[in-house]
Amino acid sequence: MQSAEFVIFVLFFIIFLNTSSHKDLVSCLGWTTADELYSCSDDHQILKWNLVNNETNVVVKLSEDIYPLDMHWFPKTVGGKRQTQAEIFVLTSTDGKFHLVSKMGRIEKSVDAHKGAVLAGRWNYDGTALVTAGEDGLIKIWSKVGMLRSTLANQGSPVYSVAWGPDSDRILYTSGVQLTIKPLQPSAKVMQWKAHDGLVLKVDWNSVNSLILSGGEDCKYKVWDSFGRLLHSSSPHDYPVTSLSWAPDGEMFAVGSFNTLRLCDKTGWSYAVEKPHTGSLFSLAWSADSTQLAGACGNGHVIFAHVLEQCWEWKNFVITLTKRRSMQVTNVMNDAVDILDFRDPVIKASLAFAHLVVATSLQCYVYSSRNWNTPLIFDLKEGTVSLILQAEKHFLLVDGAGLYVFSYEGRLISSPKFLDMRADSLNAQVISLCDDTIAIRDNRDEKVILFFDVLTGKAVGDGNPLTHKLEVVEIALDQCGPATDRKIALIDKNRDLYLASVRHFGRETKICKIGTMVDNIAWNDAANILCGIQDNQLTVWCYPSVVFTDKELLPKTLHIRDSSEFNSAPRILNFSGTKVTLRQGDGSLVYSSVPPYIALLHEYCSSARWEDALCLCRLVKDQSLWACLASMAMANRELTTAEMAYGAIGELPRVEYISMIKEQPSKESALAHMLLFSGQVQEAESALLQAGLIYQAIQVNIDLFNWERALELAVKHKTHVDTVLAHREKFLQKFGKKETNKRFLHYSEGVDVNWENIRAKIEMELSKEREKAANASVRSNGASYR
Amino acid sequence: MAKDPLAEAGFHFDEVNKLRVLEPDVSQSTAELKEECREFVDKIGQFQKIVGGLISTVDGLAKEAETEKMKAIGARNLLTSVAKQREEHQQLLKGLIAEKKMQLERYRVEYEALSRVEAEQSEFINQFILQK
């Protein structure tokens, strides 16, 4: 499942705190906790706003010559350890200095940084470095205590805004109408591109989705990916964009302008716009839980906004966040309405698999869709839940400190951990949950996917992660079927879609490509059907595992929707039952349905009701359904059904091969041939060798013209060397060639090739095999009789 | 005429035969003067009061005129700025309308998609019933 959360529409709700305010324009602000905000103003005061009791206190009055421009709290998470509160912040001012100021308002240190004003100052994510940008066009990196480390860049024009890259290894800054990304490593390549028609005034870079946001004097805001590709450009506003800020969870961002506050989705379209009388909004700051926003107004006020009217849908239930502490559940089948109340503000919620999981700042509530009155409540250790993922039997909470799997009864099942885990940077694209497995993309090496067992929290199988050849951008685990058949679908940097099995024993993981140009994917919640956006079309992989049994059948099992249905860049939100929910680039929701037969077929096949499956296919008369049935039957070694299904789609060679398999004298050879059918030569050979069928193994290699291996086997087991040589000779004669392989020349010297003998030997082997098989079946019958 | 020795010594008798050092005529004139003076002072006082009242009334009028004038100026300014305000408000409403229109368009697209799904489903149901 791509994302259990399913937000439909969001509104902003703005409140003014009229207790007291600044006497001059507010220039910058920053949250310390979810209820406390510091703001700095041109009246030289630093105010503290407490949202619990609506009080405003003056923290400190700065000296008359300090006009603050930017402030940033020292990050809360430092080296995996999490402090409860931010203790110190950096304050930059017009006199070319930056100040490190404590929570009590004491200036711990003032550093002369730039000529002219210091326009921006930002800590990196782990708090080891500070970057400042000045009117003199310099960008400087400072240590935690304010010692100059380096001057990163020097350009002629003022740098208005600066932001750290997601891994704190790059800096994004404005240079006139351009944006520049400069890595901290001196040798690495600098990227620069023209971003706006007017001066770029503000930039922000989110660490969770690595998207860049910029706004400028051309009155537009734009969304870029980290390679500088434009994803969205807004229509021009009436006034220049003076501030913008990503919500920390990367789902939304806010844009501020003169008398305007706008809330937008990460893809750029706007949820809501408010026109408060604030003057220009000089700065915007989200609280760490991404539910509250504060804006610094030109008229000396500070405005606070909450995200409300979020909506979740599952089957016949619609849930709306009506107040910060209250939700409304509507059952559209009978119009029954329930109100859910919470003690603390709601931070995250997720509705799927008949359960609603709501995380508030202190507690987690679990509701069952059968009973909205009595939730299960348990306390959360850490306040800010950043992600909730649901599977059928349990759900996963992600907060700043780690991952926790809970059952719907509220029991902590496990808490997977790995080296250098950065839980705060996880999003729904790079983590996936199913009933038995959690898959996470490693944040140190984006080619690696780690698997954890849900029940134990330990790495799955032999503990080796799956390593792909390219960076992985999205992963999704299938939701149904036994744990041993668990598959993962992944999209890499080239936008190729691959399928791999999660639990593999001993052998190398098989990873097969099943699509190209795929933008995003989602598994169905009830059957292992995958849907994805391929080249702006909705493609449904009715039975993705077909690649493991019969690769060439894959195109026949696809179900592609007409592209005229959607306009630009749709994204799949949810694939539940037969309904696919997509969000288009302009923010509108569209739905598409998948024929219900596919899920039915999956159900029949998983419960081995092959007769019913055949009936269904005959009823529907659909090629793709037959193709699915053929590969499902083959995967389950159900030869009769497979034969019929292959016949129905006109794959005669395969039908013949299957009937050949059915005529195999022993189970082992039949198994080997089935493995050969799906192209698993190595496995087929080892299966034969294990069963002691040396000749058959050699014959398999001869049939595949794998001469060297055939000879090697023959020599190793000291049998049928002449058979191999005879076939080789025949083969060469047919093509009119001479033997050049040294090994064959060497062995042909001492061996006399006699076809009569060989045929006799082969006949003997076959009869031996038949005899053995007959004995075995008698034995097994006897065993079953006993 | 025999001179009154008392008069020579500067003593006089008045009508009620009280002894006086001033001539009765003079004394009478003095008393009259005094009376007149008092009357004069009274009149002056009255005059001052009347004038003061007048001044304060005029002052009040001036003040009132001033405020009325300011009010008029304010009203005139307001009148001229109303047009501007209207324009601003119109702009704001236009912005909001554009926003709502976009939302409407989203809903329309959603509705269309849902109708399509509904059509597909009813087609499926019909097909299913026919085949049974």
Side-chain angles (χ1 to χ4, degrees):
Chain A
M1 200 138 182
Q2 195 254 324
S3 165
E5 188 177 355
F6 180 13
V7 179
I8 292 187
F9 189 63
V10 182
L11 271 181
F12 248 152
F13 175 66
I14 294 196
I15 48 168
F16 286 90
L17 286 186
N18 278 332
T19 46
S20 74
S21 60
H22 288 288
K23 288 164 201 74
D24 205 339
L25 67 87
V26 187
S27 54
C28 49
L29 30 72
W31 294 85
T32 52
T33 62
D35 306 308
E36 195 178 70
L37 179 96
Y38 277 54
S39 69
C40 305
S41 155
D42 273 6
D43 62 6
H44 313 290
Q45 282 185 339
I46 299 181
L47 291 189
K48 181 164 83 175
W49 306 73
N50 189 328
L51 296 193
V52 177
N53 49 17
N54 285 354
E55 269 179 14
T56 313
N57 301 316
V58 178
V59 177
V60 71
K61 185 144 172 54
L62 301 167
S63 66
E64 287 292 319
D65 53 345
I66 297 180
Y67 288 90
L69 283 175
D70 193 16
M71 70 178 283
H72 193 209
W73 280 98
F74 189 74
K76 281 183 182 177
T77 318
V78 179
K81 272 194 290 181
R82 204 174 164 90
Q83 296 161 268
T84 49
Q85 275 190 343
E87 293 298 334
I88 196 167
F89 64 90
V90 60
L91 183 76
T92 70
S93 59
T94 49
D95 54 1
K97 289 182 183 168
F98 71 81
H99 313 274
L100 298 177
V101 187
S102 76
K103 204 162 179 288
M104 305 311 294
R106 203 160 64 86
I107 294 185
E108 308 272 346
K109 188 162 189 175
S110 292
V111 181
D112 269 313
H114 292 270
K115 280 192 191 121
V118 186
L119 295 173
R122 298 274 117 180
W123 296 102
N124 70 356
Y125 288 100
D126 46 9
T128 50
L130 170 76
V131 64
T132 59
E135 251 178 344
D136 53 0
L138 295 180
I139 289 181
K140 292 181 176 177
I141 309 280
W142 307 82
S143 75
K144 188 183 163 184
V145 291
M147 301 291 285
L148 181 63
R149 283 221 188 111
S150 61
T151 302
L152 192 70
N154 186 359
Q155 61 168 24
S157 56
V159 179
Y160 289 104
S161 185
V162 65
W164 285 93
D167 299 319
S168 299
D169 59 347
R170 285 173 290 173
I171 299 269
L172 167 75
Y173 61 89
T174 68
S175 43
V177 297
Q178 292 181 316
L179 289 180
T180 309
I181 294 180
K182 181 152 189 173
L184 292 188
Q185 282 181 329
S187 55
K189 215 178 116 222
V190 178
M191 207 157 60
Q192 191 168 43
W193 71 95
K194 183 179 182 242
H196 287 263
D197 294 328
L199 277 181
V200 185
L201 295 178
K202 277 275 177 184
V203 289
D204 198 7
W205 200 347
N206 189 265
S207 69
V208 175
N209 59 22
S210 359
L211 296 180
I212 292 169
L213 200 57
S214 69
E217 283 194 338
D218 60 351
C219 309
K220 288 180 182 172
Y221 64 86
K222 296 185 179 185
V223 185
W224 314 83
D225 70 4
S226 52
F227 306 103
R229 283 180 300 210
L230 180 67
L231 301 181
H232 179 86
S233 171
S234 76
S235 53
H237 290 56
D238 301 330
Y239 302 97
V241 173
T242 50
S243 56
L244 33 81
S245 176
W246 274 109
D249 67 359
E251 289 296 320
M252 299 180 252
F253 62 86
V255 178
S257 176
F258 179 75
N259 277 355
T260 309
L261 177 61
R262 187 180 282 276
L263 177 72
C264 303
D265 187 70
K266 63 180 171 195
T267 51
W269 60 277
S270 97
Y271 282 115
V273 65
E274 290 286 341
K275 302 268 186 184
H277 286 283
T278 53
S280 284
L281 287 167
F282 287 105
S283 173
L284 292 171
W286 286 89
S287 63
D289 56 15
S290 302
T291 59
Q292 291 182 92
L293 178 79
C297 310
N299 62 2
H301 277 291
V302 171
I303 54 165
F304 294 91
H306 307 299
V307 177
L308 283 184
E309 294 291 319
Q310 269 176 306
C311 222
W312 294 265
E313 265 187 26
W314 181 80
K315 290 200 172 159
N316 52 330
F317 292 104
V318 179
I319 297 181
T320 315
L321 184 69
T322 48
K323 290 182 208 135
R324 291 188 70 200
R325 291 177 176 80
S326 167
M327 279 179 163
Q328 180 180 316
V329 183
T330 314
N331 182 349
V332 290
M333 299 281 270
N334 54 11
D335 283 330
V337 173
D338 289 280
I339 304 289
L340 316 179
D341 286 312
F342 307 99
R343 213 178 61 190
D344 306 296
V346 174
I347 290 174
K348 282 269 170 203
S350 171
L351 175 68
F353 297 103
H355 286 90
L356 170 71
V357 181
V358 180
T360 67
S361 49
L362 293 173
Q363 290 171 314
C364 182
Y365 294 70
V366 183
Y367 292 88
S368 158
S369 66
R370 283 185 298 276
N371 181 1
W372 296 107
N373 297 324
T374 45
L376 190 120
I377 305 171
F378 58 91
D379 287 345
L380 291 171
K381 266 184 270 171
E382 181 74 34
T384 327
V385 170
S386 60
L387 187 66
I388 303 174
L389 285 182
Q390 284 182 272
E392 200 173 345
K393 292 184 192 136
H394 37 248
F395 61 94
L396 176 77
L397 294 184
V398 181
D399 65 22
L403 316 172
Y404 309 95
V405 182
F406 290 94
S407 68
Y408 286 116
E409 288 81 45
R411 193 166 50 85
L412 178 68
I413 296 177
S414 63
S415 168
K417 284 190 181 68
F418 57 95
L419 208 64
D420 281 348
M421 182 168 71
R422 265 189 56 201
D424 50 344
S425 70
L426 290 172
N427 60 12
Q429 260 94 50
V430 297
I431 178 163
S432 182
L433 173 75
C434 69
D435 276 343
D436 43 69
T437 314
I438 303 170
I440 303 169
R441 187 191 70 184
D442 198 334
N443 51 313
R444 290 165 301 166
D445 183 0
E446 297 190 343
K447 294 172 186 158
V448 176
I449 300 169
L450 307 165
F451 296 108
F452 298 96
D453 195 293
V454 161
L455 295 178
T456 60
K458 303 238 166 58
V460 158
D462 48 9
N464 286 338
L466 173 70
T467 309
H468 189 56
K469 53 183 191 277
L470 272 174
E471 280 82 359
V472 176
V473 295
E474 187 171 339
I475 58 176
L477 286 166
D478 62 358
Q479 298 291 321
C480 307
T484 45
D485 283 349
R486 192 61 59 222
K487 304 274 191 301
I488 183 165
L490 58 100
I491 302 177
D492 68 15
K493 220 168 98 183
N494 282 354
R495 293 279 155 206
D496 289 334
L497 174 63
Y498 288 86
L499 191 71
S501 51
V502 171
R503 284 176 169 76
H504 50 94
F505 299 100
R507 275 174 261 120
E508 188 103 336
T509 328
K510 267 187 302 176
I511 174 156
C512 296
K513 187 164 157 178
I514 57 172
T516 52
M517 297 280 292
V518 181
D519 282 327
N520 74 332
I521 46 171
W523 286 96
N524 190 276
D525 62 347
N528 285 338
I529 309 171
L530 181 71
C531 73
I533 300 297
Q534 191 172 22
D535 205 5
N536 264 347
Q537 284 180 327
L538 177 66
T539 306
V540 181
W541 284 263
C542 301
Y543 182 58
S545 308
V546 63
V547 284
F548 297 123
T549 51
D550 192 350
K551 216 170 183 164
E552 284 147 45
L553 215 56
L554 178 69
K556 288 197 176 177
T557 63
L558 295 187
H559 182 91
I560 297 172
R561 299 292 301 208
D562 191 7
S563 61
S564 62
E565 276 184 41
F566 316 113
N567 63 14
S568 61
R571 283 190 70 79
I572 299 171
L573 294 181
N574 182 301
F575 182 21
S576 164
T578 61
K579 193 173 86 172
V580 187
T581 312
L582 304 105
R583 171 96 69 187
Q584 294 189 145
D586 63 353
S588 50
L589 285 171
V590 286
Y591 304 91
S592 188
S593 62
V594 174
Y597 306 117
I598 307 164
L600 265 177
L601 190 68
H602 272 274
E603 198 188 312
Y604 286 149
C605 293
S606 58
S607 54
R609 290 158 65 189
W610 300 105
E611 280 303 313
D612 291 335
L614 279 172
C615 280
L616 178 73
C617 287
R618 287 196 190 108
L619 179 82
V620 181
K621 298 188 196 72
D622 182 51
Q623 290 281 310
S624 64
L625 212 59
W626 278 114
C628 288
L629 177 62
S631 51
M632 283 175 193
M634 214 44 218
N636 288 293
R637 315 209 191 294
E638 184 63 38
L639 296 178
T640 322
T641 317
E643 207 175 352
M644 282 193 213
Y646 273 118
I649 51 171
E651 293 279 353
L652 293 181
R654 284 179 171 75
V655 176
E656 272 181 29
Y657 198 88
I658 292 170
S659 53
M660 195 272 276
I661 294 174
K662 281 164 101 179
E663 282 160 17
Q664 287 297 314
S666 70
K667 268 190 203 158
E668 288 81 9
S669 331
L671 177 74
H673 278 282
M674 276 188 260
L675 287 171
L676 277 178
F677 183 92
S678 41
Q680 291 159 294
V681 180
Q682 289 257 308
E683 285 84 349
E685 189 199 280
S686 55
L688 284 172
L689 288 177
Q690 257 175 17
L693 302 168
I694 313 292
Y695 158 69
Q696 280 80 353
I698 293 170
Q699 189 63 44
V700 161
N701 278 309
I702 292 173
D703 290 345
L704 291 167
F705 307 114
N706 199 352
W707 300 108
E708 293 250 352
R709 176 71 185 154
L711 188 66
E712 196 188 315
L713 280 176
V715 171
K716 192 176 155 197
H717 295 279
K718 295 191 181 61
T719 172
H720 286 288
V721 178
D722 52 347
T723 317
V724 179
L725 290 175
H727 276 101
R728 171 80 174 178
E729 210 178 290
K730 210 167 148 189
F731 165 75
L732 288 174
Q733 265 174 13
K734 221 171 170 179
F735 287 90
K737 279 191 177 170
K738 279 244 176 263
E739 181 64 79
T740 50
N741 191 316
K742 271 185 194 153
R743 289 191 66 186
F744 277 92
L745 284 171
H746 171 75
Y747 283 104
S748 62
E749 275 169 21
V751 180
D752 184 28
V753 174
N754 185 340
W755 275 103
E756 300 267 314
N757 279 352
I758 291 167
R759 284 206 191 93
K761 256 165 83 180
I762 291 173
E763 200 48 52
M764 203 177 73
E765 290 280 358
L766 290 179
S767 59
K768 223 161 76 187
E769 190 190 338
R770 254 178 238 123
E771 210 170 285
K772 235 169 94 182
N775 283 341
S777 73
V778 166
R779 261 207 308 281
S780 67
N781 278 351
S784 66
Y785 182 74
R786 273 207 300 277
Chain B
M1 179 180 146
K3 286 208 174 167
D4 192 351
L6 270 174
E8 266 176 33
F11 290 95
H12 308 279
F13 290 94
D14 65 1
E15 302 93 54
V16 285
N17 293 327
K18 269 194 174 169
L19 191 70
R20 298 273 170 152
V21 283
L22 259 181
E23 275 178 54
D25 302 355
V26 177
S27 146
Q28 201 179 341
S29 321
T30 306
E32 268 166 31
L33 186 67
K34 191 180 153 195
E35 191 64 24
E36 264 167 41
C37 278
R38 215 193 63 227
E39 259 169 47
F40 180 70
V41 165
D42 273 359
K43 271 185 187 154
I44 287 289
Q46 223 170 341
F47 176 71
Q48 210 167 6
K49 217 162 87 187
I50 290 167
V51 168
L54 186 72
I55 285 173
S56 71
T57 316
V58 169
D59 269 358
L61 280 176
K63 225 176 255 171
E64 238 166 74
E66 196 66 26
T67 50
E68 286 304 315
K69 210 162 80 186
M70 287 313 283
K71 260 188 201 165
I73 290 171
R76 198 188 293 157
N77 282 351
L78 213 61
L79 194 68
T80 48
S81 74
V82 155
K84 217 172 160 189
Q85 262 181 28
R86 289 275 148 168
E87 210 173 290
E88 249 171 50
H89 194 67
Q90 200 180 0
Q91 216 60 38
L92 190 144
L93 287 179
K94 265 186 190 162
L96 290 177
I97 288 171
E99 212 60 39
K100 294 276 172 219
K101 264 189 183 156
M102 257 154 69
Q103 187 57 35
L104 180 70
E105 175 62 18
R106 275 181 217 139
Y107 281 136
R108 194 191 58 75
V109 170
E110 188 177 345
Y111 175 73
E112 258 177 28
L114 278 172
S115 327
R116 227 171 10 232
V117 170
E118 192 193 5
E120 264 170 37
Q121 279 177 355
S122 55
E123 192 189 338
F124 168 76
I125 290 168
N126 284 339
Q127 209 182 350
F128 199 71
I129 290 167
L130 282 180
Q131 273 174 350
K132 279 275 159 166

